[in-house]
């Protein structure tokens, strides 16, 4: 099937490089997964009365209300909680973006897809940074 030994050697090298590339990508994906699982996003309201922490999936895991929230109507506090949760999501997205680009690189298509997916999930009102939708 192979015309000469050189062609066979070249094909073997390409297969070895391909296998090595797959193993490298799998290792980087595992490293990114471990790194991002531990992330949390945190934010405080401008008056520091509300503090929100979200886990790596964006779920609320901690909510701290300062006593000064008692001085405001419940609707005001609710708006602060929602806005501060959005800010915590933005903090988490910033960290996820940083971890992804550090682990996979700025130009990695999989990394860009991960970041875009996280952006859509954590900040559904925003599109990709270049305005694509």
């Amino acid at each position: 099937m192979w015309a000469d030994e050189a062609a066979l050697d070249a094909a073997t090298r390409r297969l070895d490089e391909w296998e090595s590339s797959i193993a490298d990508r799998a290792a980087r994906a595992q490293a990114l997964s471990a790194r991002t699982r531990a992330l949390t996003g945190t934010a405080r309201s401008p008056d520091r009365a509300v503090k929100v922490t979200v886990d790596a999936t964006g779920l609320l895991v901690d909510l701290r209300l300062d006593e000064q929230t008692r001085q405001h109507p419940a609707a005001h506090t609710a708006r602060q909680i929602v806005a501060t949760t959005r800010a915590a999501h933005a903090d988490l997205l910033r960290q996820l973006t940083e971890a992804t680009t550090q682990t996979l690189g700025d130009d990695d298509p999989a990394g860009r897809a991960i970041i875009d997916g996280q952006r859509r999930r954590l900040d559904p009102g925003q599109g990709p940074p270049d305005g694509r939708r």
Side-chain angles (χ1 to χ4, degrees), residues 5-78:
E5 199 66 32
L8 179 59
D9 287 344
T12 301
R13 275 193 308 279
R14 282 194 301 273
L15 284 173
D16 288 345
E17 289 168 2
W18 183 62
E19 182 181 15
S20 176
S21 171
I22 290 172
D24 178 59
R25 291 182 66 76
R28 290 188 297 147
Q30 287 177 334
L32 178 60
S33 177
R35 186 173 177 186
T36 59
R37 267 194 309 267
L39 295 178
T40 60
T42 302
R44 285 188 177 273
S45 62
D47 66 0
R48 308 195 57 78
V50 176
K51 180 181 177 187
V52 170
T53 301
V54 295
D55 67 10
T57 66
L59 294 176
L60 182 69
V61 293
D62 192 32
L63 173 63
R64 306 277 170 121
L65 302 175
D66 187 89
E67 288 300 318
Q68 67 177 304
T69 59
R70 294 174 184 256
Q71 300 168 6
H72 300 286
H76 172 79
T77 303

Side-chain angles (χ1 to χ4, degrees), residues 101 104-112:
T101 56
L104 302 180
D106 288 333
D107 297 329
D108 187 277
R112 285 193 305 272

Side-chain angles (χ1 to χ4, degrees), residues 89-106:
H89 283 161
D91 179 52
L92 176 62
L93 181 58
R94 179 192 56 75
Q95 292 179 63
L96 287 166
T97 299
E98 183 178 296
T100 301
T101 56
Q102 287 177 352
T103 305
L104 302 180
D106 288 333

